Amino acid sequence: MRRFASYIGKRFGWYLLTLVFALVLNFYLPRLVPGDPISQIVSQIATGGVESETMQRLYDTYVEEFGLDRSLPAQFLSYVGMLFRGNLGTSFSQYPKPVTRILADALPWSFALQLPALVVGWIVGNVLGAVAAYRKRVFDHVLFPLSLFLNSIPHYALGILLLYFLAVALDWFPVAGGYDQALTVSFSARFIGSAAYHYVLPFASVVLVTVGGQAIGMREMSIYELNSDYVLYCRSLGLGSGKIIRYVFKNAVLPQITGFATSLGMVVGGSLVTEIVFSYPGIGQVLFTAIRQSDYPLIQGCTLLITLAVLGANFLMDISYGLIDPRIRAAEVEEAAT
Amino acid sequence: MIELLKRVWTSPKARSGCVVFACVLAFGLLGPICLEAEPTDMVGELYEPPSAERWLGTDNFGRDIFTQLAHGTRTSLQVGLLAGLIATLIGTAMGSVAGYKGGLPDAVLNSVTNLFLVIPPFVVLILLSISLRTRSVAVLAVIIGVTSWPWVSRSVRAQVYSLKTRRHVDIARISGFGTFAIIVREILPYILSYIVMAFVLQVASGILTEATLSMLRLGPYNAVSLGTMMSWALMFEAVRAHAWWAFIPPVLLIAVITFSLKYINSGMDEVFNPRLRRT
């Protein structure tokens, strides 16, 4: 158990280091360019308007928030300090709304779109992949190229096709948004019904692509397993194919589980553009608007959120691996011994 | 290298993938030369449907879609190939030095690789793109390339690591060859197939990344790409205006390009990976 604790400690230290590096990138990259955009925009705000009093107040807010009168490292420290207090600054475009508020409003939509789509896509894809590997000719020649083709289309491109054929041409589904604009966000039956109706197409475009990707991976893993000695042995013993498939599935699915854990990190950033296609009110839509309006605090908030989700998912995966797989613990011990 | 290509050609998958990709390549190379019009010329009305004169109709500014498609394919291929080349070169260099040298260089290079494996490259790309004042096709390809090498580096490192204890490598070392010469002459030829496969996948992902960036309106400012075509179509409501000719061709073309590259990769995998061969 002490070894396990030290493993977790080490991983935690490593992720902390990565987080610091990510924060540095998040802070410095937009400021690296000559005539750094943030001070430029702030001065634009300050000089652009007529109502000088409001402008002055805006300008003062940003100068104070970014500490524009101080050196870059000092600005970075105050940025990190603000982060720890849960403050991501004030949005340029939706002044005076704080960035955290905007993100908190959008995040549930992205989660609700990605998480179920990942789970469903993963399960269906893996079953199809295993079947494709086992039933060589029938499924493999149809299913494999089909999944590969599905997986070659980015979510959002598939989304555009679905949007056109099912929502515009056939008029079966709504063309935009996460819910009927006449309704307000609430827990009423009407709102939930409307949200579910708007959910179908974005969900379908993420799920179909995920199924394709998972099926290809699972097929490959299963072929590896099917060619292994224990399968030959089982066959020579005359075991039924149902039983063999179960053995193969168990072994082949392990790496796929790792893949699933990593893809959980994409719950925030995985369908950014799909959200844009459907004007779905998630993080992708927020990021898109922020980019169009050069709203740097909001952009940096989005990128930070995406990074945090990925780091968090990877860390959780490492922990659960340490718990599940005795070989990882053994390897860690060996590494420590050398 | 010729030997390698010959073996690739034995796979029906790789062969059909190559044929499709060659067709797209020809369209992207010859199209812009044969078509006289520039993609930015406004030749017709808003959203003219396809006709004998304008094969794929016009877009929201009355620009010819077919002309744009040819230029867009060229841009997307340029970005993909250049980004793929850069990513593969950096990844191979980092991975082979780390795998061959071991010890401290390996520890340092490996930590850097792991760092960039965990930090989503897309985030770095967004941060870089919003700060760049000029996003030309070349600049875009370079930043996509320098953010997507870690996967190549990781797999090359593993391959080199397993090769470095081979006899011929030992002999070269005893004969006094330097690290660089040994890596280039004794190790890389043996993993060439892996590197080519990694390159093929990197080209595909480079093309997709460019398209995604364009959809976020961070695409090239001076050229038409398949991504910017989709982005314009969406922005100017081509989908809701039933102007299918404005967005279906670029969507399909992107899918066909990535599909052909992944098909080549999968075919090569079956050729070079004996465990994947069916018995």
Side-chain angles (χ1 to χ4, degrees), chain A:
Chain A
M1 205 54 214
R2 257 187 59 209
R3 275 166 189 163
F4 179 66
S6 104
Y7 165 73
I8 296 294
K10 260 195 206 160
R11 295 316 294 162
F12 184 74
W14 194 80
Y15 278 103
L16 205 64
L17 199 76
T18 316
L19 179 63
V20 171
F21 185 66
L23 285 180
V24 170
L25 285 182
N26 212 30
F27 174 82
Y28 275 104
L29 277 183
R31 288 170 175 78
L32 270 182
V33 275
D36 115 48
I38 291 183
S39 33
Q40 260 186 18
I41 282 165
V42 171
S43 60
Q44 262 170 33
I45 296 174
T47 54
V50 224
E51 303 151 82
S52 55
E53 203 176 303
T54 348
M55 285 304 160
Q56 190 56 43
R57 214 175 51 231
L58 257 169
Y59 181 73
D60 291 343
T61 316
Y62 290 121
V63 169
E64 201 199 309
E65 227 167 52
F66 296 110
L68 287 179
D69 40 355
R70 282 171 288 163
S71 68
L72 271 183
Q75 285 183 40
F76 178 64
L77 285 181
S78 80
Y79 167 72
V80 174
M82 266 166 58
L83 280 185
F84 270 106
R85 275 172 272 129
N87 183 359
L88 290 171
T90 313
S91 157
F92 282 165
S93 55
Q94 302 179 43
Y95 186 86
K97 230 180 175 182
V99 169
T100 33
R101 263 283 305 288
I102 303 175
L103 293 181
D105 286 345
L107 194 58
W109 292 99
S110 290
F111 258 89
L113 179 58
Q114 277 283 307
L115 199 60
L118 281 178
V119 174
V120 172
W122 189 84
I123 294 173
V124 175
N126 279 306
V127 171
L128 285 182
V131 172
Y134 197 76
R135 296 279 174 81
K136 291 176 188 172
R137 294 208 157 67
V138 198
F139 284 87
D140 209 17
H141 283 186
V142 189
L143 219 58
F144 176 71
L146 191 71
S147 343
L148 198 64
F149 190 73
L150 274 181
N151 195 234
S152 307
I153 309 180
H155 301 164
Y156 52 85
L158 193 62
I160 295 179
L161 296 182
L162 291 178
L163 179 69
Y164 175 66
F165 286 111
L166 299 182
V168 176
L170 293 172
D171 203 17
W172 288 352
F173 293 100
V175 288
Y179 52 90
D180 191 339
Q181 288 301 314
L183 302 170
T184 47
V185 181
S186 64
F187 269 103
S188 66
R190 263 192 71 202
F191 176 77
I192 293 173
S194 160
Y197 185 43
H198 284 75
Y199 184 70
V200 177
L201 287 186
F203 177 78
S205 44
V206 181
V207 155
L208 284 175
V209 175
T210 316
V211 166
Q214 291 297 330
I216 294 166
M218 185 61 185
R219 171 185 166 272
E220 223 138 85
M221 291 315 302
S222 303
I223 294 176
Y224 267 112
E225 292 295 330
L226 278 172
N227 287 341
S228 63
D229 292 341
Y230 74 89
V231 173
L232 288 178
Y233 184 65
C234 287
R235 282 224 174 98
S236 66
L237 285 181
L239 245 62
S241 57
K243 208 155 205 173
I244 297 180
I245 274 204
R246 231 175 301 151
Y247 286 143
V248 167
F249 189 80
K250 259 192 194 164
N251 282 315
V253 88
L254 261 177
Q256 294 295 100
I257 291 177
T258 324
F260 178 68
T262 347
S263 66
L264 274 186
M266 299 308 287
V267 283
V268 182
S271 55
L272 295 176
V273 185
T274 310
E275 290 173 7
I276 297 169
V277 168
F278 291 100
S279 315
Y280 208 73
I283 297 291
Q285 191 66 32
V286 170
L287 180 64
F288 182 63
T289 332
I291 289 174
R292 219 167 38 179
Q293 299 173 329
S294 303
D295 189 342
Y296 284 87
L298 195 49
I299 296 175
Q300 283 177 304
C302 291
T303 49
L304 186 69
L305 203 61
I306 298 168
T307 315
L308 281 181
V310 174
L311 288 186
N314 277 288
F315 183 54
L316 284 182
M317 185 183 71
D318 279 2
I319 292 180
S320 47
Y321 246 55
L323 284 172
I324 300 167
D325 196 338
R327 281 173 302 181
I328 295 239
R329 274 178 285 169
E332 275 293 316
V333 175
E334 254 171 50
E335 208 174 87
T338 50

Side-chain angles (χ1 to χ4, degrees), chain B residues 190-230:
Chain B
Y190 291 86
I191 58 168
L192 192 60
S193 61
Y194 280 90
I195 297 175
V196 174
M197 277 161 68
F199 171 70
V200 169
L201 281 190
Q202 290 289 341
V203 174
S205 87
I207 289 172
L208 288 182
T209 308
E210 185 279 327
T212 311
L213 279 178
S214 297
M215 292 293 284
L216 286 169
R217 302 208 49 205
L218 293 171
Y221 73 97
N222 63 346
V224 185
S225 76
L226 295 175
T228 56
M229 285 181 75
M230 287 195 285

Side-chain angles (χ1 to χ4, degrees), chain B residues 25-229:
Chain B
L25 199 66
F27 177 61
L29 287 179
L30 301 178
I33 299 172
C34 299
L35 297 162
E36 278 163 22
E38 284 297 309
T40 44
D41 289 349
M42 298 181 195
V43 293
E45 304 283 306
L46 165 128
Y47 290 137
E48 262 178 50
S51 61
E53 196 187 345
R54 297 191 230 301
W55 295 347
L56 288 174
T58 62
D59 74 353
N60 52 293
F61 293 127
R63 298 174 297 194
D64 186 55
I65 299 273
F66 189 75
T67 315
Q68 285 193 50
L69 204 60
H71 285 265
T73 304
R74 185 172 69 179
T75 311
S76 289
L77 288 173
Q78 278 171 341
V79 173
L81 289 169
L82 185 56
L85 193 67
I86 293 171
T88 312
L89 283 180
I90 300 179
T92 307
M94 300 268 287
S96 53
V97 171
Y100 178 73
K101 278 287 196 183
L104 188 66
D106 182 29
V108 172
L109 291 178
N110 204 25
S111 321
V112 175
T113 309
N114 282 333
L115 204 64
F116 279 103
L117 271 178
V118 181
I119 294 178
F122 202 69
V123 162
V124 182
L125 266 179
I126 292 176
L127 290 172
L128 273 174
S129 317
I130 56 167
S131 9
L132 291 172
R133 281 276 160 271
T134 52
R135 277 195 308 272
S136 65
V137 174
V139 167
L140 212 58
V142 170
I143 64 172
I144 292 174
V146 295
T147 49
S148 52
W149 54 266
W151 282 110
V152 184
S153 165
R154 175 180 260 195
S155 57
V156 166
R157 174 178 171 271
Q159 294 291 330
V160 171
Y161 193 78
S162 70
L163 268 172
K164 72 170 179 184
T165 47
R166 290 261 188 99
R167 267 221 188 113
H168 63 96
V169 180
D170 283 337
I171 290 172
R173 198 168 21 234
I174 294 166
S175 319
F177 285 105
T179 306
F180 181 74
I182 292 177
I183 289 178
V184 170
R185 300 223 305 248
E186 305 294 334
I187 292 181
L188 290 188
Y190 291 86
I191 58 168
L192 192 60
S193 61
Y194 280 90
I195 297 175
V196 174
M197 277 161 68
F199 171 70
V200 169
L201 281 190
Q202 290 289 341
V203 174
S205 87
I207 289 172
L208 288 182
T209 308
E210 185 279 327
T212 311
L213 279 178
S214 297
M215 292 293 284
L216 286 169
R217 302 208 49 205
L218 293 171
Y221 73 97
N222 63 346
V224 185
S225 76
L226 295 175
T228 56
M229 285 181 75

